[in-house]
Amino acid sequence: MNWKILAVGAVIVVPLVAVLASGFGKDPRGVSNALEGRKAPDFTLLDLDGQPHRLSDEAGHPVVINYWATWCSPCRQEHPHLLKAAEVYGPRGVAFYGVLYGDEADKARDFLATHGQAFPTLVDEGDRTAIDYGVAGVPETYVIDANGTIVRKFIGPVSFGELAALLEPML
Amino acid sequence: MTRFILFSAWLAFAALLIASPAWAGGPLITDITEQLKQPTHMDEPPAYAPPDTAVVDQRTYEIARKMRCPVCQGESVAESRSEAAIAFRERIRELVAAGYSEQQITDYFIDRYGEWIVLEPKAHGVSWLIYVGPGLAVLVGLGVVVVRVRGASSAPTEPAPRREPPAADDPYRARILAELGETDDGRDA
């Protein structure tokens, strides 16, 4: 056996395999949860009725922010879960907000009239707030504690159970 | 005369009303506009003074070109026509126009989306191999070539071993010749 050729081959192949192996473990389109554990970016947005809402006004209360759109089918799937969570935890001091992402206010009004509404939906012109939150698609849901820290970012549809598990210890 | 005075008074009142701040984009509207002005959410002040429009366009394009469109397949923010990419470009333009440097803007996006958002990841961790790897491979290759060439030139040159012609009574030779229909001296049989 030619040990020299084997050594040279190993020098080339081993790092290549290491790079590929580290990549195989990750979803190439996976979005980071970089903001978890950090202060939630403040915003002031108008809801569908033109009323302004400022995140910092909710200081002292846990907040759930759900980025959604009418064209997004997983958003329709999670909608009843969010309604239930808002009905259970809203009276216990948790603030819920929907933020419209890449969609029109009129379509959102129609959707909410049909499927029910339990919390304000905010209009984010130019998806400006969505970028501040690192939103890369919908639905994405952020749970913020009473200190204004993002404790969890859910990518994809969230369930009532997942929200309850996070919110219960905060109350 | 009284009518004229009354009319003038109404006119003056109407003019005052129109000119009052409450109507002419006054405190109420300004309040909402001010409230809706989103904070920049940048950790540091801008690196430069706000640049000219032409510079803003150029810098926005340069930064957008290196950033991944979050909802596309392998497209940059500069190339994509998706709504998300348009929103990204607007945000980049806003920050460039405020005087933020390319590094500050890239850091802002990495901070929120992770390293994934830039098309050329920074050289750290395993990803440094992407940058160092090709150079390293060329160096190793050159090293191998140099060692081989030196080895070949320093080795004593030996004459190539002479191949003995097959013996005349070799049965295989006789058989080949027979099949070719030739005699041993090259003439046709």
Side-chain angles (χ1 to χ4, degrees), chain A residues 29 38 42 44 128 132 135, chain B residues 38-39 72 94 108 111 113:
Chain A
R29 293 186 51 74
R38 291 168 52 188
D42 194 19
T44 306
R128 164 70 201 270
D132 278 336
V135 174
Chain B
Q38 302 293 354
C72 317
E94 185 188 324
Y108 162 85
D111 229 25
Y113 290 89

Side-chain angles (χ1 to χ4, degrees), chain A residues 29, chain B residues 60-89 92 116-120:
Chain A
R29 293 186 51 74
Chain B
T60 301
Y61 175 75
E62 283 302 321
I63 297 167
R65 201 169 57 84
K66 295 173 192 166
M67 211 159 282
R68 187 190 302 278
C69 160
V71 296
C72 317
Q73 295 283 353
E75 252 186 320
S76 77
V77 165
E79 293 160 349
S80 169
R81 292 160 74 182
S82 71
E83 202 161 319
I86 293 168
F88 264 55
R89 287 200 292 268
I92 294 168
W116 166 84
I117 204 68
V118 283
L119 286 165
E120 291 173 15

Side-chain angles (χ1 to χ4, degrees), chain A residues 40 55 61-65 133 142-146 148-151 170:
Chain A
L55 178 68
H61 302 278
V63 181
V64 175
I65 301 173
Y133 275 76
Y142 295 77
V143 179
I144 300 162
D145 68 11
T149 304
I150 296 176
V151 291
M170 290 186 195

Side-chain angles (χ1 to χ4, degrees), chain A residues 46-50 68 70 100 103-117 121 123:
Chain A
L46 297 181
D47 65 20
L48 293 170
D49 299 322
W68 71 284
T70 58
L100 209 53
D103 204 351
E104 294 161 26
D106 283 342
K107 287 181 181 168
R109 280 190 200 99
D110 288 348
F111 178 91
L112 295 170
T114 314
H115 296 89
Q117 180 176 8
T121 283
V123 180

